[in-house]
Amino acid sequence: MTTPTTPRTPLLPTHTWSASYPMTPSAARLARLHTRRRLASWRWHGDIDDAVLVVSELVANAARHGRVPGRHAWLRLAVVEGGGLVVDVSDAVAGFPGFPGGAAGAMGEGGRGLIVVRQLAHDVSWFPRDGGGKTVRARLTGGGGGGDL
């Protein structure tokens, strides 16, 4: 997945929230905390632990590979009709290197996070942002009423 995808218009959101994070190692920890609290307050019916892990991996990757001086990473969570969750993580670097291939054990220390994201998410895509940069989008099912993401 090295070429961007055209973002599908998700179902109407029933809840939405966003925050920015500095491009530092602590960004993933803060995003995990905020995501867990937000999804619990919304009483989201999906697997919150899976959602927190997806957010953590995407924000960590943005902080590690999308760092541009003076720019932040953006996290957006949206629960859509049917209970699915859309996770958007944006950074200031336009390119997306793609998902690593091969078995996780053969890749060394890096690259496992995106494999985990692909296993937990219903769909993973990316697209360029207006004004520069990119957004990586992961869609998770809600465990409640189904519905297409």
Side-chain angles (χ1 to χ4, degrees):
M1 185 172 78
T2 57
T3 57
T5 57
T6 302
R8 289 188 300 164
T9 303
L11 298 171
L12 293 175
T14 59
H15 297 289
T16 186
W17 173 83
S18 63
S20 69
Y21 295 95
M23 297 295 216
T24 64
S26 66
R29 181 183 60 79
L30 290 171
R32 283 192 304 271
L33 177 68
H34 295 154
T35 297
R36 184 173 301 283
R37 286 182 180 169
R38 183 62 51 181
L39 294 177
S41 74
W42 289 341
R43 294 186 170 97
W44 184 57
H45 293 289
D47 190 321
I48 291 178
D49 289 333
D50 284 356
V52 166
L53 183 54
V54 166
V55 165
S56 180
E57 293 296 340
L58 294 179
V59 170
N61 281 345
R64 187 175 306 117
H65 304 293
R67 184 176 303 178
V68 172
R71 302 288 297 270
H72 287 82
W74 281 92
L75 166 64
R76 178 182 172 268
L77 304 175
V79 175
V80 296
E81 293 174 321
L85 178 68
V86 177
V87 175
D88 287 341
V89 176
S90 303
D91 63 49
V93 174
F96 184 76
F99 290 102
M107 294 183 325
E109 291 300 312
R112 292 187 187 112
L114 288 175
I115 291 173
V116 170
V117 168
R118 287 182 68 183
Q119 290 175 344
L120 296 176
H122 171 72
D123 181 50
V124 181
S125 59
W126 76 279
F127 51 91
R129 284 182 41 180
D130 291 339
K134 69 178 166 304
T135 297
V136 178
R137 174 171 286 168
R139 299 169 188 263
L140 291 88
T141 56
D148 186 26
L149 294 175

